[in-house]
Amino acid sequence: MAAVSESPVYRATTTAPVNIAVIKYWGKRDATLNLPTNSSLSVTLSQRSLRTLTTASCSANYPAADELTLNGKSQDIQSSKRTLACLASLRAHRQELENADSSLPKLSTLPLRIVSENNFPTAAGLASSAAGFAALVRAVADLYKLPQSPTELSRIARQGSGSACRSLMGGYVAWRAGELADGSDSLAEEVASQGHWPEMRALILVVSAEKKDVPSTTGMQTTVATSELFATRANAVVPARMTAIETAIQNRDFPTFAEITMRDSNGFHATCLDSWPPIFYMNDVSRAAVRLVHDINNAAGRTVCGYTFDAGPNAVIYYLEKDSEVVAGTFRSILGTELEGWSGPFYDAVKNVGPGVSLDQVDSRAVDVLKTGLSRVILTGVGEGPVSVEDHLVGEKGEILSTQ
Ligand code: ADP
Ligand code: DP6
């Protein structure tokens, strides 16, 4: 705990959301600046289900080196080039303000104490790095009272983790790859607000933990260096899909949105399999989820749901609230209510519904594999971007507080 002292403690606290891409970022054209080979697009998920809470504070009372405490544990940020790069950019922006207005307190010269909590498992394939770096950048930007827009801040968050740049905004967010060597045009922007298409829901099937996957940073570098499919994906397939899915979002055209989402996930995992040595993120449980989504769509006679998989086996299944019965109701009947996660703010629409399609229309082997392979589900939906809050994780005297 920090000692009580006379010097002021400055604080700002924010929440930030997780995002799950429907057009995947996979591949870097510049690993140092963390610039992608292709544009990507994601849905920001509701912070009523998954969120990071981060307080950034600074004070002359603090030890000289910046500190980060994550979920109650002190992190070694001095060896995290990515965190240091984000903090250096934010400080430089604060310094510009201080240079222009000498009446401002010299916050850029003070050590930082950052305290963060994720309300979901960290490093478990649930995009904690995206929410975590977005929250860190937003909180320090608020502490420094920076005038930069979320799009301008996305340039900084990108250096922490590429996908984090998309968590600075709510709704439907594109990360434009950009072309410039310095990365100044590689930015995220909201393509549609949460309110434009608020009915989007996501059912996350969390696969029981297995051995650690190939980290995404390493995996994408192997793919760029060795996959022959990759160049076609980056240069031709993804640009066409970006245009098509943005149109589908503008038109609230779910069948097109879902088909592009599924095809892009499959295409991304195909480039992983085409890497040398091959990289496998999906497993038998993931493939059972794929089979069941196609079976449900066939049984419904229209596209009511679409899956996507990141660099791990968990399935994220998008659907519209009006199809809660046919999608979530069917999965709940298959999986049973004993499985953890059939609860929370998005459960009301699902609580009293049965299986929307007859279970004899879905593959029984896939049902068996899925039933035994999941640790929990998370029911959520599209949500808003970071929110400034007063639930500080650092007290008025600089002491670390906890909500856990
Ligand atoms: P995930 O699949 O959850 O994104 P990763 O292994 O890719 O897992 O990223 C986890 C890393 O992200 C953590 O080790 C930490 O460096 C960073 N991270 C996660 N949450 C936070 C947070 N709240 N604040 C700062 N950094 C975070
Ligand atoms: C499969 O953003 O974790 O989730 O920039 O190296 O930190 P780094 O990679 P990261 O990669 C995310 C990959 C993905 C696809 C996506 O979110 O677009």
Side-chain angles (χ1 to χ4, degrees):
M1 296 291 160
V4 179
S5 144
E6 301 301 316
S7 299
V9 171
Y10 300 89
R11 301 178 295 176
T13 300
T14 190
T15 66
V18 163
N19 73 78
I20 298 291
V22 292
I23 303 293
K24 302 297 187 192
Y25 148 52
W26 197 252
K28 298 178 199 281
R29 63 183 163 90
D30 183 322
T32 312
L33 296 174
N34 218 16
L35 301 176
T37 41
N38 60 263
S39 296
S40 56
L41 194 144
S42 57
V43 179
T44 297
L45 298 185
S46 173
Q47 297 175 67
R48 292 195 283 156
S49 307
L50 305 173
R51 61 117 192 85
T52 293
L53 176 67
T54 298
T55 298
S57 70
C58 60
S59 172
N61 301 335
Y62 295 164
D66 296 336
E67 298 168 8
L68 169 65
T69 299
L70 171 55
N71 296 327
K73 290 201 190 91
S74 169
Q75 308 290 300
D76 177 17
I77 53 169
Q78 300 312 323
S79 59
S80 166
K81 278 192 194 145
R82 293 169 164 218
T83 309
L84 295 179
C86 290
L87 297 181
S89 297
L90 291 157
R91 269 208 171 88
H93 285 305
R94 172 70 192 183
Q95 182 98 58
E96 282 165 23
L97 294 182
E98 291 166 3
N99 290 346
D101 179 352
S102 61
S103 72
L104 290 176
K106 305 275 179 289
L107 302 191
S108 66
T109 63
L110 301 177
L112 286 160
R113 171 169 291 163
I114 302 169
V115 182
S116 184
E117 288 181 357
N118 299 328
N119 73 343
F120 59 93
T122 299
L126 292 172
S128 72
S129 54
F133 279 107
L136 181 136
V137 168
R138 182 75 264 176
V140 177
D142 290 349
L143 174 73
Y144 287 167
K145 299 196 169 24
L146 300 185
Q148 275 75 10
S149 67
T151 287
E152 289 168 318
L153 292 177
S154 75
R155 195 184 283 139
I156 301 175
R158 186 196 76 221
Q159 300 173 67
S161 182
S163 51
C165 75
R166 300 184 310 240
S167 274
L168 285 165
M169 280 149 258
Y172 303 81
V173 182
W175 174 13
R176 311 288 177 199
E179 289 171 354
L180 300 175
D182 69 357
S184 53
D185 58 349
S186 186
L187 301 166
E189 63 184 20
E190 188 185 277
V191 298
S193 68
Q194 175 198 3
H196 167 75
W197 205 7
E199 298 85 6
M200 188 65 71
R201 296 290 171 268
L203 171 63
I204 307 178
L205 306 179
V206 183
V207 175
S208 310
E210 283 194 357
K211 68 175 169 52
K212 188 88 177 98
D213 306 307
V214 180
S216 44
T217 306
T218 324
M220 62 178 88
Q221 270 155 347
T222 303
T223 303
V224 173
T226 64
S227 165
E228 289 169 10
L229 291 180
F230 177 74
T232 311
R233 170 176 169 76
N235 300 330
V237 178
V238 166
R241 282 192 183 135
M242 283 294 291
T243 307
I245 206 162
E246 284 184 55
T247 304
I249 292 167
Q250 296 309 339
N251 296 338
R252 301 184 193 88
D253 171 357
F254 186 81
T256 304
F257 170 87
E259 181 172 334
I260 296 171
T261 297
M262 291 186 275
R263 285 180 179 271
D264 195 71
S265 176
N266 294 340
F268 148 51
H269 288 278
T271 67
C272 292
L273 183 60
D274 189 49
S275 303
W276 193 256
I279 303 166
F280 305 93
Y281 288 120
M282 295 170 67
N283 64 15
D284 286 347
V285 183
S286 318
R287 284 184 283 274
V290 168
R291 176 67 198 258
L292 291 171
V293 164
H294 284 287
D295 285 354
I296 291 171
N297 286 338
N298 282 335
R302 61 195 171 92
T303 305
V304 290
C305 49
Y307 51 77
T308 186
F309 297 83
D310 278 347
N314 300 338
V316 177
I317 299 173
Y318 286 113
Y319 63 97
L320 293 180
E321 189 183 24
K322 70 180 171 61
D323 290 319
S324 291
E325 178 161 16
V326 67
V327 182
T330 303
F331 274 103
R332 194 185 51 168
S333 298
I334 288 170
L335 298 170
T337 44
E338 324 69 75
L339 190 66
E340 196 184 331
W342 294 111
S343 57
F346 291 86
Y347 190 49
D348 277 355
V350 182
K351 205 184 251 167
N352 298 314
V353 301
V357 303
S358 158
L359 293 190
D360 53 20
Q361 289 183 277
V362 300
D363 186 77
S364 59
R365 285 160 309 173
V367 166
D368 289 343
V369 173
L370 201 68
K371 267 165 91 161
T372 51
L374 299 186
S375 61
R376 61 167 299 149
V377 296
I378 296 166
L379 258 181
T380 185
V382 61
E384 62 186 343
V387 179
S388 176
V389 295
E390 295 298 316
D391 311 324
H392 302 298
L393 293 171
V394 174
E396 284 176 7
K397 300 195 163 64
E399 71 279 21
I400 294 176
L401 307 171
S402 172
T403 56
Q404 291 171 341

